[in-house]
Amino acid sequence: MADTVQRLKARTHRQSLSGETSASDDEILNVHSQTVSNITMDFFYKPKTISLLIFAVVIVVFMAFTRNPNLNREDNIASGLLCIIFLFLVVSLLSFPNGPYIRPHPAVWRLVFGGSLIYLLGLTFILFQTLNDVRAMLGWLYPELKDVKPENKSWATECAFSVYRLWECLDIYAFAHFVGWVGKAILLRHAGILWAISIMWEITELAFAHILPNFAECWWDIVILDVLLCNGLGICVGLFICHKLEMASYHWESVKDIHTTTGKIRRVIMQFGPESFQPVRWFEPTSTVVRVVYVWQLLFVWQISELNTFLLKQILMVPIHNMLNTYRLLLICAIVSPSIKQYYAYITDVRSKRLGTQCWVFITITLVEFFICVKFAPELFAKADLIKVALWVIFQAIYCLVVTYVFVVFAKIRGKKLGTRRRSAVQELNNPVNQMVKKSLRSRHDSDGDIDYVHVSPKHQRRFENGSHVLRSSTRRRRNDHVAN
C-alpha cells in the first residue's frame, strides 16, 4: 500500500513539474511497440518464423558455396560482412519492437531499428580506428574516394544579387533542401519550433564558416534562398499537409471488401500513408521549466545532428555527390521519424516512464558521430576561432531556452483566452433569455434536448423578456392542436 501511495505521489509531482498530459496505457505501449488492432489481410500479419529461417539459411548457404573460390581477400571479407548484415536484419525482423508506427507494415520499422543498430555499431568501430584507416575503408567500399581531396569551395563569391543568379541556384540540392523541410514540418508540426531551428541553423553556418568553407554564403543566399524559399516554403507546405491530414476522417476497410479495381489500387496506395493523424501540442498552458528543458534538448540535439552531416563529409573527404551521403541521410530520416514520436510521448505523457528505444539509439548515434568528428579532426578544430565557437554554444543555449519559454508563455495566454471563452459561453447558455428560447424550441419541435445554445439578437431579446414570443408560440401551438383534433 505504501508503495502504491509513493508511486502516486511521484506521478503527481512529475505532472506538476512538467505540465504533462496523460493518456491511456494502450497509447503509451503503442509508442514503444505499436500493434495492429484491425487486420484486414491476415496473410501479411501471421508469423512466418519457420519460413524465414529456411529462407535465411538457403541464402547464406547459396552465397557461401556458389562463390568463385579464386576471389581475393577483400571480396571474401565483403561477402562475409554482407551476410552478417543480412542475418542481423532477419533477427531484427523477428524479435525487435515495432515502434510507434504500423504503416506500411510493422516489419518495415523493425528493419529500420535493425539498420540503426548496425549503423551505431559501425560508428563505434570507426571511433577506435585512425583517420587514415577509415579513409582506406571508405576507399575500399568506393574506389573513387581513394584520391579525393577535401572540398574547400566557398559560395560567398560575387554576392551581387540578381534574379538570374537566384534562378541558377534552384537546382536539385535546393529541391532536396525544400523537401527536407517539408519532412521536418510533418514530423514536428509546430511552426515556432521549425522557425527557431531554421534561424539557428543559419547562425550555425555563420559560426563555422571559417573552418567549413561550404558554409560561407552570400546574404541573399541565406535570407532569400534558404530562410524564405527552401525553409519557409517547406514549413508552410508541411504544416498545410499536416492540417489536411488532421482534418481527415480515417476509416479503413479490407481490400477484399472493395469490389472495384480502382478502389483496390487506391486502398493499396493509402497503406503507405498514416493510419491516423493526431495533432501534437509541444506546449500546454500548464507547461513549466521541465518542459522548456526537454524542448531545449530537442533543439540542441537537432543542431548537432545536422552539423555532423557536414563535418563528416569534410573530415572523411566524401564528395557531396557520392551515394554514401545519400544512404546516410535516408537512414537518418527513417530513424528520426519514430524517434520524434517516442520523444514527444516521453516529455508530454505522465505515464511514459522511459525513453523509446529508437529515440535512445538516435541520440547515441548523434553523439558518437560528433565524437568521431572531434577525434579525427584536431587540425580542423585547431584552426577554429574559439571565441566564435564559444559564443555559438552560449547563443544556442540561451536562444533555445528563451524561444521555448516564449512558446510556453504564448500557450498559457492562449489557454487563458480559451478558458475565458468557455466561461462566457457557459454564462450565456445559462442566461434566462436563452433558457426561454431553448424551452420554446423544444416545445415546438419535440426536441430531445440537443439544442444547447441559441444566439438571440438585441432586437428579439426585448420580445423574449416580456414573454410575447412565448405567448404567440403557445397560442399557435394550441391552434394547431385544435385543428389536428
Side-chain angles (χ1 to χ4, degrees):
M1 183 67 180
D3 295 339
T4 304
V5 173
Q6 188 67 22
R7 287 196 299 269
L8 290 175
K9 288 182 178 179
R11 179 180 300 176
T12 305
H13 177 67
R14 181 183 173 188
Q15 185 170 5
S16 63
L17 284 177
S18 59
E20 293 163 337
T21 57
S22 61
S24 64
D25 293 333
D26 294 336
E27 292 175 352
I28 299 165
L29 180 63
N30 289 342
V31 172
H32 302 286
S33 183
Q34 178 77 284
T35 57
V36 184
S37 58
N38 186 17
I39 298 177
T40 58
M41 297 292 289
D42 296 336
F43 173 79
F44 293 103
Y45 293 93
K46 288 183 178 179
K48 302 290 190 302
T49 55
I50 303 299
S51 302
L52 193 59
L53 173 63
I54 296 173
F55 173 75
V57 171
V58 169
I59 293 296
V60 173
V61 171
F62 177 79
M63 292 183 64
F65 289 93
T66 60
R67 298 178 67 252
N68 186 358
N70 297 324
L71 292 176
N72 55 27
R73 181 185 302 172
E74 287 77 9
D75 292 333
N76 293 332
I77 293 175
S79 300
L81 291 176
L82 288 176
C83 278
I84 291 175
I85 295 174
F86 171 73
L87 290 178
F88 190 88
L89 292 178
V90 169
V91 175
S92 304
L93 197 61
L94 292 173
S95 59
F96 285 169
N98 297 335
Y101 301 130
I102 61 173
R103 293 297 179 90
H105 194 279
V108 174
W109 300 106
R110 292 197 291 267
L111 290 175
V112 169
F113 184 71
S116 66
L117 282 181
I118 293 174
Y119 183 61
L120 176 59
L121 296 176
L123 291 174
T124 307
F125 175 78
I126 290 175
L127 186 61
F128 290 88
Q129 311 306 312
T130 63
L131 179 58
N132 292 330
D133 292 339
V134 174
R135 288 175 178 170
M137 286 187 287
L138 295 179
W140 174 59
L141 292 175
Y142 295 92
E144 63 271 16
L145 297 180
K146 291 181 179 179
D147 300 325
V148 173
K149 296 181 180 180
E151 293 183 351
N152 295 319
K153 183 179 180 180
S154 175
W155 301 99
T157 57
E158 299 179 4
C159 290
F161 174 74
S162 65
V163 179
Y164 177 75
R165 290 203 62 192
L166 180 64
W167 177 259
E168 283 185 335
C169 294
L170 297 178
D171 51 8
I172 185 63
Y173 299 108
F175 179 75
H177 193 174
F178 163 76
V179 173
W181 275 97
V182 172
K184 293 174 185 177
I186 294 175
L187 290 178
L188 294 175
R189 309 179 203 172
H190 191 281
I193 294 178
L194 291 165
W195 279 108
I197 292 176
S198 174
I199 296 174
M200 281 192 302
W201 178 247
E202 300 303 326
I203 296 174
T204 301
E205 289 184 337
L206 294 176
F208 287 89
H210 61 286
I211 61 176
L212 295 175
N214 289 333
F215 279 179
E217 297 175 334
C218 298
W219 67 268
W220 55 267
D221 197 344
I222 297 174
V223 177
I224 300 178
L225 184 61
D226 288 346
V227 176
L228 296 181
L229 290 181
C230 296
N231 301 3
L233 190 59
I235 291 173
C236 294
V237 172
L239 293 179
F240 176 78
I241 294 173
C242 292
H243 177 71
K244 291 298 182 181
L245 293 176
E246 290 173 2
M247 297 298 293
S249 59
Y250 296 88
H251 175 71
W252 303 102
E253 57 182 344
S254 174
V255 177
K256 296 181 291 186
D257 299 333
I258 302 175
H259 303 291
T260 62
T261 304
T262 305
K264 291 180 182 292
I265 295 175
R266 182 182 179 184
R267 176 62 181 85
V268 172
I269 295 175
M270 292 177 67
Q271 182 69 21
F272 293 88
E275 182 194 21
S276 61
F277 207 85
Q278 303 296 331
V280 300
R281 294 179 178 87
W282 289 97
F283 304 99
E284 297 285 350
T286 56
S287 299
T288 56
V289 178
V290 176
R291 181 71 65 83
V292 172
V293 174
Y294 282 145
V295 178
W296 174 82
Q297 292 174 352
L298 170 67
L299 298 179
F300 198 77
V301 172
W302 196 290
Q303 293 292 304
I304 297 298
S305 178
E306 293 195 351
L307 184 61
N308 289 341
T309 302
F310 296 91
L311 287 175
L312 290 173
K313 181 173 67 69
Q314 180 73 16
I315 295 169
L316 301 180
M317 298 183 185
V318 180
I320 189 173
H321 58 270
N322 189 270
M323 291 303 297
L324 193 61
N325 291 317
T326 305
Y327 296 151
R328 179 191 171 275
L329 288 177
L330 291 177
L331 179 61
I332 293 297
C333 292
I335 297 172
V336 165
S337 180
S339 300
I340 293 294
K341 179 74 173 181
Q342 292 177 349
Y343 188 75
Y344 173 80
Y346 178 72
I347 71 174
T348 59
D349 202 320
V350 68
R351 300 186 183 184
S352 181
K353 300 299 182 182
R354 64 184 180 89
L355 187 65
T357 310
Q358 184 66 87
C359 184
W360 188 93
V361 171
F362 171 70
I363 295 175
T364 309
I365 287 174
T366 303
L367 295 177
V368 174
E369 285 183 343
F370 184 73
F371 295 151
I372 290 174
C373 296
V374 173
K375 179 183 178 181
F376 288 164
E379 68 281 357
L380 181 65
F381 288 100
K383 297 185 299 182
D385 189 347
L386 297 181
I387 297 178
K388 287 185 178 180
V389 175
L391 290 176
W392 173 78
V393 174
I394 295 173
F395 178 82
Q396 291 283 326
I398 297 176
Y399 179 78
C400 293
L401 288 175
V402 171
V403 167
T404 50
Y405 180 76
V406 169
F407 293 156
V408 171
V409 172
F410 282 158
K412 290 183 178 181
I413 295 174
R414 185 171 179 270
K416 290 181 181 179
K417 290 183 178 180
L418 291 177
T420 304
R421 291 176 183 175
R422 293 191 185 100
R423 286 193 297 270
S424 62
V426 171
Q427 292 174 359
E428 191 168 358
L429 177 63
N430 295 328
N431 191 347
V433 175
N434 283 324
Q435 294 292 334
M436 294 177 63
V437 174
K438 184 177 177 181
K439 182 177 179 181
S440 175
L441 291 177
R442 270 190 196 150
S443 302
R444 292 176 60 186
H445 302 288
D446 282 331
S447 174
D448 295 331
D450 295 333
I451 301 174
D452 293 329
Y453 170 75
V454 177
H455 176 72
V456 182
S457 63
K459 176 182 177 181
H460 295 85
Q461 187 169 356
R462 292 188 296 271
R463 294 171 56 189
F464 283 117
E465 288 175 351
N466 57 27
S468 60
H469 179 80
V470 178
L471 179 62
R472 285 196 297 270
S473 300
S474 302
T475 305
R476 189 182 300 109
R477 186 169 58 253
R478 288 195 299 269
R479 187 185 301 115
N480 293 336
D481 294 340
H482 178 72
V483 173
N485 294 329

